[in-house]
Amino acid sequence: MTAMRIDIDRDVCIGAGQCALAAPKVFTQDDDGLSELLAEAEPGPMVAEAARACPVQAITVT
C-alpha cells in the first residue's frame, strides 16, 4: 500500500476552513487561521474531498 502525501501551500491558503470541516481527523487551523495537518492525522477518503473543497486549491494529495 502506498502512503498518502498531503501538502498544504500555506502561501495560498486563505483560512476558509473547508478542509477542517470536510476531514476533521486530518486538518485543523493554526492560530492565524491557516490550514495545517493534525499531528495524529488519520488520512482517509475524506482527504480528497477536503482538497476539492478548498476554494483556492491550497491542498494537494498524492
Side-chain angles (χ1 to χ4, degrees):
M1 183 172 165
T2 305
M4 179 183 293
R5 179 179 169 100
I6 305 165
D7 291 300
I8 303 168
D9 187 337
R10 292 174 55 84
D11 292 330
V12 173
C13 181
I14 60 170
Q18 295 304 306
C19 57
L21 290 173
K25 292 184 178 182
V26 179
F27 299 97
T28 189
Q29 289 178 285
D30 66 13
D31 292 339
D32 294 324
L34 300 178
S35 179
E36 66 180 6
L37 293 173
L38 289 169
E40 313 249 334
E42 299 176 20
M46 292 307 292
V47 171
E49 179 57 34
R52 281 191 293 276
C54 180
V56 294
Q57 291 81 48
I59 301 168
T60 56
V61 180
T62 53

